[in-house]
Amino acid sequence: MAEPERRMRPAPLLFEPSEVAKDPEHFFDLESIEDPGELLARATELALAFRAAEDRAVEYQALAAAQLADPRRFDRLSPAAIAERAEWTEDYARRMIEFGEDLQRGPSPEATA
């Protein structure tokens, strides 16, 4: 029996203090790490965290696009209007709407078998 797919838990993104963030050379305190092994480990954690954050943000974009395009809404938006709001092409908006609809339906029965 296959184990369900588990999402990798990325390192938490810590907010940078505003006074430190003004320094363009400062990035999550990586510049202060002198040990190359530790620097590689922390930089890798951050890269994974940013990728995971991007994936989640895209999923939420798709869900929002599907909700905005829902024909049951009296104020639904066309794919062109959604594309304009999100600064996408109309074709990409259509694909995101479809992706969002798939996400709303949840995993397919064969994906959970």
Side-chain angles (χ1 to χ4, degrees):
M1 180 187 219
E3 282 189 37
E5 182 181 331
R6 290 181 16 190
R7 286 185 180 244
M8 183 183 303
R9 285 214 157 284
L13 295 178
L14 304 174
F15 291 97
E16 300 210 84
S18 59
E19 66 275 358
V20 178
K22 291 177 187 173
D23 178 5
E25 297 300 313
H26 181 80
F27 187 73
F28 289 90
D29 211 27
L30 292 178
E31 71 285 344
S32 68
I33 300 174
E34 293 182 16
D35 177 79
E38 185 182 337
L39 177 60
L40 178 61
R42 181 61 182 146
T44 300
E45 287 176 342
L46 284 170
L48 291 172
F50 284 121
R51 284 186 206 131
E54 179 186 17
D55 290 346
R56 294 289 307 272
V58 168
E59 288 176 357
Y60 280 104
Q61 283 181 310
L63 286 168
Q67 290 170 1
L68 288 169
D70 189 334
R72 297 172 296 190
R73 289 177 60 112
F74 76 92
D75 61 344
R76 76 174 179 203
L77 296 179
S78 68
I82 293 169
E84 185 178 332
R85 276 190 176 191
E87 298 180 7
W88 297 333
T89 64
E90 193 171 337
D91 181 58
Y92 186 75
R94 281 191 187 94
R95 288 185 287 155
M96 287 294 278
I97 291 165
E98 289 174 12
F99 178 43
E101 291 167 347
D102 288 346
L103 289 172
Q104 287 175 328
R105 281 191 285 275
S108 62
E110 58 272 0
T112 58

